[in-house]
Amino acid sequence: MPRGIPNAKRDDTGIKYTTFHVPLSTNPKHLGTTYLKSESQTIWFRNSQRRSKEETTQESRRGSQVLVIHLGSRFSRIGRASDVTPVTVPTVVARRCKTPVTPPTFIEGIARPRAGKKNLRPSEKSLDQNEYEVSATSDDPFEEKIAAITTSLRDRMRFYKFRVTPNAANIASTFNGPFRPEIIAEHNDPYRVDWINGPTDEEVLVGDKALRLADPQSSNFIVRWPIYGSTFNTRDYTSSQVVLSDIETLLRYTLHDKFAIEPRDYAILSVVLIIPDFYDRYYVRDLVSLLLVSMGFKQLCAQQESLAATYGAGISTACVVDIGAKTTSIACVDEGLVVADSRMSLNIGGDDITEFLYVLLERISFPYKDINLAISYDWNVMEDLKARLCTLMEVDVALNLYDFVVRKPGSPAEKYGLRAYDEIILAPMVIFEPRVIEFDNKRLGLQDLNPSVTEEILEHTSDHVTSAMVISTQHLLPGPSDTPALQYTDQKADKTSSDAGPTLGTSSNIIVEGSTDVPMEVIDIELEDNKSSGPHQSSPSKSARRTSSEPVQPFLGSFGVDVCFEASKLPLDVAIFNSARASGGDEKIRKYLQAVLVIGGTARISGMGHALESRLQAIATPLVQNMERVQIIPPPKDVDHRVLAWKGGAVLGKMEGAAELWMTQQDWDILGMRGLKERCFFL
């Protein structure tokens, strides 16, 4: 009997022995193996163990080796996780070109008066009429839109019993028109700007230095902003590689200039990347590849803005509203997990408030006549006025005197005086009354620089269209038109699409805090959890009302309508309600509307919390059973609304439990986006 084979039976058949032996039955205990059945046997655990052994034993402040990066359309916030506040850098890069640079053009996102008509505010008709009455004195559509927003304001002022100053427009125009500025001597100007005049040896200027170029065209510098909303700026760039090159230049310059971090130190630094809630997959892929491969950071963790904001605020459940410069993002977070179907992206932002303020001030003879919003220092003048003047509190509406300073290259600073009345509240009201926004103009020039991402990841409909968007545009979707809940007259539908964005169902008058004088249009819907309901199987023979001149191809899917674009026209209060409704039934709506977290620069406008609370209360009270008081959660003490998402990323970077979320360069090379999906909850 061959040795080494125990319990082998003696062969009594008389057949000659051979060197081949029939294997024995499998040992039963081997069938219950735990091979690759525990987390300790995965590649992630082995990598984390290897990284922990490689870490030095020297004592350092927790989070000092972690960078938190939050890119934005206007400003990017970068800093160590151990820092109290991040470094805020304008997301702008100026590069020297060999070819002549054309002057910048400003794309108007706010409606203007009819061609050939002067933009002057009409005076009140008479003093004996109802002081709260607003009448359009012209057939210009622009004047009708302004009158509609003013009517909404006057209704709220009537409810709160605030008086209207008679003939305020004439008084303001009389003061502003002939005003002559006061010249401020250079030695008396503590905020004078050190402009970059004439030739310079630098080929690339980043951040504040790029904005201090006196005349970029004469110096052959092209000034561009690489981020637009929640994706790359495809209007000013012709290649995604050029966009990524500018972003890399911005990051390298900031790390070197503000943190004294050299490229050789990148290999020991980890990065927490804050990405948008409703993102483009190629945007995330290119940024992760840039940080891990091109720049060579040690490891990376990607997290969504809304989830990071809840970390920063110290709460686990909230409806997060992020009002940025170009877009507004809404998403519900439930116990540390973003509800995918609740995500919405509105094409409304702080820049619309700035431009609308300029249009309104022009109507009362704005004293600075030579303003050009395409030039950075003139845009900063309006940004400063927006930050100091704008309010959403009706009690602040008064005929007040303000001042502002204009600093231009090659001339001393000029101090202007300005009188304004309700322009300071009408401008921020555009987020609730978006009828004056030209949404089609905002899509002009946008290109598709990266048409597809060939990754082995299953595509879901919610990657392009969410339930909240479908709810918001059900009246536009082709399907059964005989249902009463979805019936819409042509006149109302056309007005809604072109002026204020789509709303769902038949409008009804809802009272703000018990008043009988404040009509508001809200959604008349059934509040049951019918996520799967709706005409998803649309008839291909029916045409959709949308523009087709843009090079960007919208995602229509089986809807027949560009749902994302149409849903982006919603007023902010209606969009928040639809986002909460898409998360579940009445109980979910109550839970999210009692924890609304507003972040972003526009959230700093005075009275934003009260204005949003009252409008949401008017919508939710008649439609949600047992609806209690809507609550806007303030950020923690001494935390700026603008850095709340960054603070959440810093909290995540210092957590010990985040060790399983890191992705290394080796993981990225082997697994790509599939590995990022394993590490993060949002893909």
Side-chain angles (χ1 to χ4, degrees):
M1 178 185 303
R3 302 184 62 182
I5 304 180
N7 301 327
K9 295 182 180 180
R10 180 180 298 274
D11 188 2
D12 297 331
T13 58
I15 301 178
K16 189 170 76 170
Y17 288 110
T18 65
T19 57
F20 175 79
H21 303 283
V22 178
L24 301 177
S25 59
T26 309
N27 193 331
K29 69 178 182 180
H30 293 164
L31 297 177
T33 179
T34 59
Y35 178 63
L36 288 182
K37 290 186 178 180
S38 64
E39 293 185 357
S40 61
Q41 297 174 337
T42 61
I43 186 174
W44 311 106
F45 183 83
R46 295 197 299 269
N47 288 342
S48 63
Q49 291 297 315
R50 177 174 52 83
R51 289 193 296 268
S52 62
K53 293 179 181 178
E54 293 175 356
E55 291 179 356
T56 58
T57 57
Q58 61 180 2
E59 295 184 0
S60 61
R61 189 175 180 183
R62 177 179 293 183
S64 60
Q65 300 298 315
V66 179
L67 292 176
V68 183
I69 299 176
H70 187 193
L71 300 177
S73 301
R74 287 285 174 185
F75 295 96
S76 295
R77 291 169 176 85
I78 305 169
R80 291 186 174 93
S82 57
D83 296 339
V84 178
T85 56
V87 172
T88 302
V89 183
T91 316
V92 58
V93 177
R95 287 187 180 272
R96 189 189 301 276
C97 296
K98 296 181 180 179
T99 57
V101 179
T102 58
T105 57
F106 184 77
I107 297 179
E108 297 178 352
I110 298 294
R112 298 293 198 273
R114 187 176 294 162
K117 184 179 181 300
K118 212 168 182 184
N119 186 19
L120 291 177
R121 180 169 180 171
S123 58
E124 304 290 342
K125 285 184 177 180
S126 62
L127 298 178
D128 56 351
Q129 67 175 4
N130 182 6
E131 61 177 338
Y132 299 105
E133 182 181 350
V134 179
S135 58
T137 58
S138 171
D139 60 348
D140 190 351
F142 172 74
E143 294 294 342
E144 295 176 357
K145 296 173 182 177
I146 296 292
I149 301 177
T150 308
T151 301
S152 176
L153 170 63
R154 297 288 174 86
D155 288 339
R156 292 178 66 87
M157 293 181 68
R158 179 194 291 129
F159 169 67
Y160 292 115
K161 297 181 174 58
F162 294 135
R163 300 297 301 272
V164 176
T165 303
N167 208 22
N170 278 348
I171 299 175
S173 299
T174 304
F175 177 85
N176 297 334
F179 191 90
R180 294 295 175 264
E182 174 190 350
I183 305 299
I184 303 178
E186 186 175 350
H187 60 275
N188 291 332
D189 185 10
Y191 301 104
R192 61 181 179 272
V193 180
D194 186 15
W195 299 101
I196 301 177
N197 287 302
T200 175
D201 296 334
E202 298 185 67
E203 295 292 328
V204 181
L205 299 176
V206 172
D208 291 317
K209 293 184 69 175
L211 298 178
R212 287 194 287 111
L213 277 172
D215 190 0
Q217 287 75 41
S218 63
S219 305
N220 268 7
F221 274 93
I222 180 171
V223 181
R224 293 182 292 196
W225 304 77
I227 303 294
Y228 184 89
S230 59
T231 184
F232 298 128
N233 183 0
T234 61
R235 177 181 288 119
D236 300 330
Y237 290 86
T238 57
S239 169
S240 60
Q241 293 303 319
V242 181
V243 182
L244 293 173
S245 177
D246 279 358
I247 295 176
E248 181 178 355
T249 302
L250 175 71
L251 295 177
R252 288 183 182 273
Y253 171 83
T254 305
L255 293 177
H256 177 270
D257 191 59
K258 305 295 184 181
F259 301 96
I261 297 177
E262 300 295 336
R264 62 175 178 271
D265 301 327
Y266 294 168
I268 61 173
L269 295 175
S270 306
V271 174
V272 176
L273 178 64
I274 309 297
I275 65 172
D277 297 322
F278 194 72
Y279 56 88
D280 287 324
R281 187 167 289 173
Y282 79 86
Y283 172 82
V284 177
R285 180 199 63 180
D286 290 347
L287 281 183
V288 173
S289 179
L290 169 69
L291 294 171
L292 287 181
V293 180
S294 301
M295 301 185 69
F297 284 103
K298 177 182 177 182
Q299 53 193 4
L300 178 139
C301 172
Q303 201 58 261
Q304 285 173 289
E305 288 173 342
S306 58
L307 191 55
T310 57
Y311 289 156
I315 55 180
S316 60
T317 300
C319 180
V320 182
V321 183
D322 184 2
I323 311 177
K326 300 293 184 183
T327 59
T328 298
S329 173
I330 305 170
C332 294
V333 179
D334 187 10
E335 299 297 336
L337 186 64
V338 178
V339 182
D341 279 331
S342 68
R343 297 175 300 167
M344 288 195 67
S345 179
L346 305 182
N347 204 359
I348 305 170
D351 285 0
D352 296 314
I353 299 177
T354 304
E355 186 182 351
F356 192 35
L357 178 64
Y358 161 72
V359 174
L360 292 173
L361 293 179
E362 263 197 334
R363 304 173 80 232
I364 54 173
S365 304
F366 189 55
Y368 180 29
K369 308 296 183 184
D370 299 330
I371 186 170
N372 182 6
L373 295 184
I375 302 176
S376 61
Y377 50 79
D378 282 347
W379 178 267
N380 290 336
V381 170
M382 295 308 304
E383 283 283 342
D384 174 65
L385 285 174
K386 179 184 73 171
R388 294 191 294 113
L389 271 62
C390 284
T391 179
L392 280 168
M393 300 185 68
E394 290 79 8
V395 69
D396 294 335
V397 178
L399 193 60
N400 292 329
L401 176 63
Y402 309 94
D403 59 63
F404 62 96
V405 179
V406 176
R407 296 178 177 87
K408 296 189 293 186
S411 60
E414 298 174 342
K415 184 177 182 180
Y416 288 84
L418 170 69
R419 297 199 77 172
Y421 181 54
D422 56 2
E423 290 78 13
I424 62 175
I425 191 173
L426 289 177
M429 279 181 64
V430 72
I431 62 178
F432 304 112
E433 304 277 348
R435 64 184 74 240
V436 295
I437 299 179
E438 299 288 348
F439 292 98
D440 290 329
N441 287 356
K442 290 190 172 188
R443 300 204 297 180
L444 294 177
L446 296 180
Q447 310 170 51
D448 195 356
L449 300 182
N450 207 330
S452 62
V453 179
T454 55
E455 300 283 348
E456 296 179 5
I457 298 180
L458 187 63
E459 289 282 345
H460 299 281
T461 307
S462 60
D463 294 342
H464 305 281
V465 176
T466 65
S467 296
M469 297 178 182
V470 176
I471 291 174
S472 305
T473 57
Q474 268 190 340
H475 66 282
L476 298 176
L477 298 179
S481 57
D482 298 328
T483 346
L486 298 178
Q487 282 183 349
Y488 227 68
T489 62
D490 294 338
Q491 180 182 3
K492 179 65 180 176
D494 292 339
K495 179 181 177 182
T496 306
S497 285
S498 60
D499 295 343
T503 54
L504 172 65
T506 310
S507 61
S508 61
N509 290 336
I510 299 303
I511 309 305
V512 177
E513 298 183 355
S515 169
T516 58
D517 299 323
V518 186
M520 296 188 66
E521 289 185 357
V522 300
I523 324 168
D524 187 10
I525 51 177
E526 294 290 330
L527 289 175
E528 308 203 351
D529 189 10
N530 293 330
K531 289 185 182 180
S532 60
S533 65
H536 290 275
Q537 302 297 329
S538 60
S539 173
S541 61
K542 298 195 176 184
S543 59
R545 293 183 296 116
R546 56 172 294 271
T547 58
S548 58
S549 59
E550 294 80 15
V552 175
Q553 297 298 326
F555 178 81
L556 302 181
S558 60
F559 303 104
V561 177
D562 190 356
V563 174
C564 292
F565 176 66
E566 296 296 338
S568 69
K569 303 177 182 179
L570 276 181
L572 180 61
D573 49 345
V574 179
I576 294 175
F577 182 79
N578 286 347
S579 175
R581 184 193 174 237
S583 304
D586 288 7
E587 182 180 353
K588 292 286 187 180
I589 297 176
R590 287 193 294 269
K591 180 171 72 170
Y592 291 126
L593 292 187
Q594 290 172 2
V596 180
L597 180 63
V598 186
I599 63 175
T602 308
R604 301 171 69 241
I605 293 179
S606 175
M608 173 64 75
H610 170 71
L612 198 53
E613 276 184 3
S614 60
R615 288 170 170 85
L616 279 175
Q617 193 76 51
I619 296 177
T621 300
L623 298 177
V624 182
Q625 295 180 358
N626 303 324
M627 182 64 208
E628 299 178 4
R629 184 172 179 268
V630 175
Q631 293 185 2
I632 307 297
I633 300 178
K637 186 179 179 181
D638 299 331
V639 177
D640 193 343
H641 295 80
R642 297 171 293 184
V643 303
L644 196 59
W646 182 93
K647 290 286 289 184
V651 171
L652 178 65
K654 292 185 288 186
M655 291 172 55
E656 294 182 357
E660 299 179 359
L661 302 178
W662 297 110
M663 165 170 277
T664 64
Q665 182 178 349
Q666 292 77 17
D667 300 334
W668 178 255
D669 291 339
I670 297 173
L671 302 172
M673 288 290 287
R674 290 185 292 115
L676 199 63
K677 181 180 183 299
E678 292 292 332
R679 296 294 90 195
C680 304
F681 299 114
F682 55 83
L683 282 175

